[in-house]
Amino acid sequence: MNSRFALALVLSLSIFTTRIAAAETVWLDDLKLASATQGWGEPQKNKSVGGGTLTIAGKQFTRGFGTHSESTLRLNLNGGAQEFSASVGVDDEVNKNPASSVKFIVLADGNALWRSGVMHAGNPAKDCKATLTGVKSLVLEVSDAGDGINYDHADWADAKFETDAGRPVTVTPEPQLAPVAPYILTPPAPATPRINGANVFGVRPGSPFLFTISATGERPMKFSAKNLPGGLKLDSKTGRITGALKTKGEFTVSLYAKNSLGTTDKKFRIVCGDQIALTPPMGWNSWNCFANSVSEDRVKRAADALVKSGLINHGWTYINVDAGWPNRRDSKDPASRGEFRDAKGNIVLNSKFPDMKGMADYIHSLGLKAGLYSSPGPWTCEDYTGSWKHEQQDAQTYAKWGFDYLKYDWCSYGNVASGVASNLMTVGSSGAPWKKDDEAIYPYRLMGNLLRDQNRDIVFSLCQYGMADVWKWGGLVHGNCWRTTGDIIDTWKSMSDIGFNQDKAASYSKPGNWNDPDMLVVGEVGWGKMHPSRLTPDEQYTHISLWCLLSAPLLIGCDMEKFDDFTLNLLSNDEVLALDQDALGKEATCVINNGNVRIYEKELEDGGRALGFFNLGMEPVKLEFNEFAKLGLAGKQHVRDLWRQTNLADVDTANGVLPLTVPGHGVVLYKLTMAK
Ligand code: GAL
């Protein structure tokens, strides 16, 4: 052997041994999965997103990454990965829910290397294999397949890399906005009396009437009214109007509030007719903070907090219990374990909610209204008792207990929908309806009619994530509001994807019929795992401005015992809330879309226009706005900055400009009114 040959042999042997030594299987679950962003829950190591064993169509896996659409996990491969493989699918924990559908995608340096196609609950796992030689960065994505994120529990089971050298690492996703400390824009309400809130209220003949005049200013305050129709009386200390109206009619009333510093008055319209919720419901719902750990005590404390915080003086009214009040199927918590219904079919209560009537009475005693939650299916989404086959009895029970609001969530109804006889399905509104739409409509029509039969006004809130274009028929089944999308969470992606995609339904919004882009995610939220909203202060101004422009139901989703000054300020700007509560009931649409800059316009009852200048980009944008004709504005206009509650210089739409700076992910919210 000559020496050159010997050297070559040694070298090649050593390369060979290095290769063998470095070839390695790296399991995805051994990397930092916390860098993933996802639409619901937290990234899970070796578990489904709901915390169970990873299971796809009955097959269990001990290793993998449990996530939820829309999910993105970014990795830097450090040059050595040769192959990625996994078994992917929807986790069985969603109980074959038809709303669940996802797409898995593997992106290598920006190009899709592997796609699963649409996968539904119950589909067997698909084998994913992608060759990675030369790839630098990898993205594992789960999309919602275009139908919203509900029930999209997605598993990357047995996910692993074969590497030659280097080790993949997960990387933190998008660049972050520079942190901005919460900043307060709105001055405190004056000590002199001011009557806030809606200036119209709808009630049905014979229904118990409860309306609390919301007024800010120093206490004590004395309330009075002129031209209150017979059957109603006003408590001068509390400002509560109660009683009942016998016949239909419209009444214009003058309301007065007086304290040691002065008196104020306001015209108020009472419309006794078929329609209720003439302005979008405003209040609180337990889900975004307490999730299943809600209890009667927590609900009563929320009602107390709504009063103590002063929010009651800005029109906030409903205290709504979401999922978690009846008994639960296979409950691990003794407090919600037990019979679901008694021998007569009545829903059985438990130690978490021992006295529904007492709770509703308590809420009413504060001048507030009470809301409840159920499903047309046998089980609610979290497996609590639903109303399937007990609809009439439940509607009567809710009325007997004294509830004023029902959120009715599709959940397990998907499993029984196709078993409903087709002759029950005809809606009769549009000739020969499509069978699938009928299935979507039927349970809501049923409950809508039953609620109408009760002797009290119960706001009917449809929760079925926008299926079958609910905005087109929600009003026909006596719905007052309906969700247009899947569930919101407290991220910019979730809030902005939902909020800036509402135009499709906008023309259906009107008094008594409201599109619902889901509840508010400001303050301490967390679905049982509390944390301050992850939205930046500017994103929160965007959220509230947009929801008010959209005439959305406003349901606070945070723990109201933990209000900070910023959140409270955000929720008590009466000029901003007045946009939401405007009696015309017109939903804003996007009238100018210049990429990152979106301008929303809402027509108001007094002839004014609200304008939201939104910036979807991360850098501040400076505008010299002069496209008034596109907004249908002419002449000289008064300009009011609604968050700051200050007047700016009038603008002449013929040749003037409106200079403004919109922060990244932020908003400037103005009201323009024709100058006389
Ligand atoms: C979802 C609904 C949420 C919440 C949750 C409770 O379907 O969209 O708002 O009610 O169910 O399980």
Side-chain angles (χ1 to χ4, degrees):
M1 193 190 289
N2 70 36
S3 60
R4 271 175 74 201
F5 179 71
L7 182 66
L9 186 69
V10 170
L11 268 179
S12 59
L13 268 177
S14 68
I15 288 168
F16 184 67
T17 40
T18 322
R19 275 192 159 249
I20 294 288
E24 197 191 344
T25 298
V26 177
W27 290 85
L28 182 65
D29 56 83
D30 279 337
L31 307 183
K32 261 199 193 150
L33 299 176
S35 326
T37 55
Q38 55 187 50
W40 185 84
E42 299 300 326
Q44 297 290 334
K45 174 184 168 83
N46 302 333
K47 280 191 215 144
S48 65
V49 68
T53 304
L54 293 160
T55 314
I56 305 171
K59 187 168 174 196
Q60 297 198 333
F61 301 84
T62 49
R63 303 197 72 158
F65 164 38
T67 185
H68 193 287
S69 79
E70 305 246 304
S71 161
T72 305
L73 181 61
R74 290 163 201 271
L75 298 118
N76 180 348
L77 297 185
N78 287 321
Q82 298 299 310
E83 186 184 270
F84 172 74
S85 64
S87 287
V88 301
V90 174
D91 196 278
D92 284 3
E93 69 190 352
V94 303
N95 287 328
K96 298 212 171 133
N97 195 296
S100 167
S101 65
V102 294
K103 283 182 188 174
F104 293 80
I105 304 159
V106 179
L107 287 159
D109 295 333
N111 302 315
L113 266 194
W114 188 86
R115 290 173 189 276
S116 66
V118 181
M119 295 190 73
H120 297 278
N123 290 166
K126 279 193 182 167
D127 287 332
C128 160
K129 216 169 230 166
T131 304
L132 301 179
T133 325
V135 173
K136 291 194 181 72
S137 72
L138 196 74
V139 180
L140 301 178
E141 234 176 58
V142 184
S143 87
D144 69 355
D147 65 348
I149 67 166
N150 283 35
Y151 299 100
D152 287 353
H153 295 217
D155 296 342
W156 293 94
D158 273 351
K160 54 185 181 298
F161 296 90
E162 301 305 330
T163 69
D164 249 8
R167 201 180 154 82
V169 288
T170 58
V171 287
T172 321
E174 291 121 28
Q176 304 289 314
L177 280 166
V180 175
Y183 62 98
I184 286 178
L185 290 179
T186 306
T192 47
R194 192 175 69 196
I195 300 179
N196 305 307
N199 55 18
V200 62
F201 181 72
V203 66
R204 296 195 180 109
S207 297
F209 193 105
L210 173 60
F211 180 86
T212 302
I213 300 173
S214 43
T216 44
E218 215 171 76
R219 270 27 185 201
M221 194 173 279
K222 206 170 164 235
F223 296 92
S224 58
K226 257 193 210 145
N227 301 329
L228 207 57
L232 299 186
K233 63 175 197 305
L234 167 67
D235 181 318
S236 63
K237 276 204 190 106
T238 59
R240 278 175 222 154
I241 306 175
T242 53
L245 292 172
K246 281 208 183 81
T247 48
K248 290 187 176 176
E250 202 168 316
F251 309 91
T252 304
V253 180
S254 299
L255 302 176
Y256 301 86
K258 185 177 174 193
N259 68 9
S260 64
L261 300 166
T263 306
T264 189
D265 66 301
K266 175 173 162 170
K267 288 263 174 289
F268 182 65
R269 230 165 11 104
I270 295 174
V271 185
C272 182
D274 290 327
Q275 196 54 282
I276 57 170
L278 296 185
T279 64
M282 285 173 70
W284 173 87
N285 172 292
S286 58
W287 180 248
N288 290 356
C289 47
F290 299 137
N292 297 333
S293 57
V294 64
S295 64
E296 179 179 312
D297 178 53
R298 282 188 144 161
V299 173
K300 284 181 171 171
R301 278 163 44 191
D304 290 339
L306 194 79
V307 176
K308 272 193 208 133
S309 63
L311 283 185
I312 188 174
N313 301 330
H314 300 275
W316 299 91
T317 303
Y318 288 91
I319 293 290
N320 293 352
V321 183
D322 204 275
W325 62 270
N327 281 330
R328 188 180 198 182
R329 186 162 62 150
D330 301 329
S331 178
K332 293 190 183 73
D333 176 5
S336 52
R337 201 183 304 145
E339 292 296 313
F340 305 111
R341 300 214 171 243
D342 68 15
K344 291 187 179 145
N346 295 309
I347 200 150
V348 172
L349 296 179
N350 54 40
S351 61
K352 276 172 86 184
F353 283 91
D355 179 11
M356 295 305 256
K357 175 152 184 356
M359 186 180 79
D361 286 349
Y362 180 78
I363 294 170
H364 292 147
S365 77
L366 300 175
L368 303 173
K369 297 194 174 186
L372 205 56
Y373 168 93
S374 187
S375 168
W379 308 103
T380 65
C381 302
E382 295 288 317
D383 277 343
Y384 294 89
T385 319
S387 296
W388 170 238
K389 290 192 171 161
H390 293 274
E391 294 85 356
Q392 183 170 23
Q393 196 168 14
D394 283 1
Q396 285 166 348
T397 305
Y398 305 150
K400 195 175 73 195
W401 286 340
F403 280 90
D404 310 291
Y405 190 110
L406 178 70
K407 172 173 170 183
Y408 207 43
D409 193 347
W410 178 264
C411 299
S412 67
Y413 187 79
N415 298 333
V416 295
S418 49
V420 179
S422 60
N423 63 351
L424 290 178
M425 296 277 192
T426 318
V427 183
S429 60
S430 58
W434 178 43
K435 172 96 171 28
K436 215 169 159 227
D437 271 1
D438 290 348
E439 286 174 1
I441 296 167
Y442 170 72
Y444 289 97
R445 191 184 51 150
L446 178 64
M447 186 51 96
N449 285 336
L450 289 165
L451 293 179
R452 279 302 304 267
D453 289 347
Q454 305 311 311
N455 57 6
R456 61 185 299 116
D457 293 347
I458 302 180
V459 170
F460 188 30
S461 159
L462 280 55
C463 177
Q464 43 82 291
Y465 341 115
M467 281 190 296
D469 292 353
V470 59
W471 44 90
K472 295 183 181 158
W473 52 266
L476 299 172
V477 301
H478 304 307
N480 298 112
C481 40
W482 41 80
R483 283 271 297 278
T484 51
T485 70
D487 289 14
I488 197 168
I489 59 164
D490 56 324
T491 62
W492 167 252
K493 177 155 177 38
S494 170
M495 186 275 288
S496 62
D497 277 0
I498 290 177
F500 292 109
N501 283 298
Q502 295 295 315
D503 280 8
K504 56 185 185 269
S507 63
Y508 295 89
S509 168
K510 59 175 190 292
N513 290 175
W514 310 107
N515 292 308
D516 177 3
D518 206 2
M519 299 174 287
L520 302 176
V521 280
V522 300
E524 282 277 321
V525 291
W527 300 266
K529 291 182 194 153
M530 306 301 284
H531 58 256
S533 172
R534 288 172 288 177
L535 297 180
T536 67
D538 286 312
E539 292 170 349
Q540 299 191 43
Y541 281 117
T542 290
H543 184 22
I544 302 299
S545 307
L546 187 53
W547 262 237
C548 289
L549 285 165
L550 295 174
S551 312
L554 298 178
L555 291 172
I556 298 169
C558 69
D559 183 346
M560 295 197 292
E561 290 189 307
K562 295 196 182 137
F563 272 133
D564 55 281
D565 293 347
F566 172 76
T567 310
L568 205 51
N569 189 266
L570 200 60
L571 298 172
S572 43
N573 180 318
D574 297 296
E575 297 188 26
V576 174
L577 296 173
L579 302 183
D580 184 74
Q581 295 295 300
D582 188 75
L584 195 60
K586 285 238 175 171
E587 179 171 336
T589 53
C590 181
V591 275
I592 296 182
N593 179 344
N594 283 341
N596 278 341
V597 176
R598 308 278 167 94
I599 303 175
Y600 275 69
E601 183 177 29
K602 178 175 165 77
E603 282 177 54
L604 302 170
E605 194 191 25
D606 66 3
R609 308 283 175 100
L611 298 179
F613 298 85
F614 294 96
N615 175 5
L616 278 65
M618 303 220 292
E619 297 301 322
V621 166
K622 266 190 186 316
L623 290 178
E624 298 276 315
F625 182 78
N626 65 357
E627 296 177 275
F628 297 102
K630 282 194 185 162
L631 307 179
L633 291 168
K636 203 169 175 201
Q637 301 277 334
H638 289 315
V639 183
R640 183 143 174 99
D641 179 327
L642 296 181
W643 279 111
R644 293 178 176 81
Q645 300 186 343
T646 51
N647 292 328
L648 306 180
D650 287 358
V651 65
D652 186 346
T653 57
N655 49 23
V657 293
L658 212 50
L660 27 95
T661 304
V662 195
H665 288 187
V667 62
V668 167
L669 186 64
Y670 287 166
K671 179 172 169 183
L672 269 64
T673 331
M674 186 70 97
K676 298 253 159 56

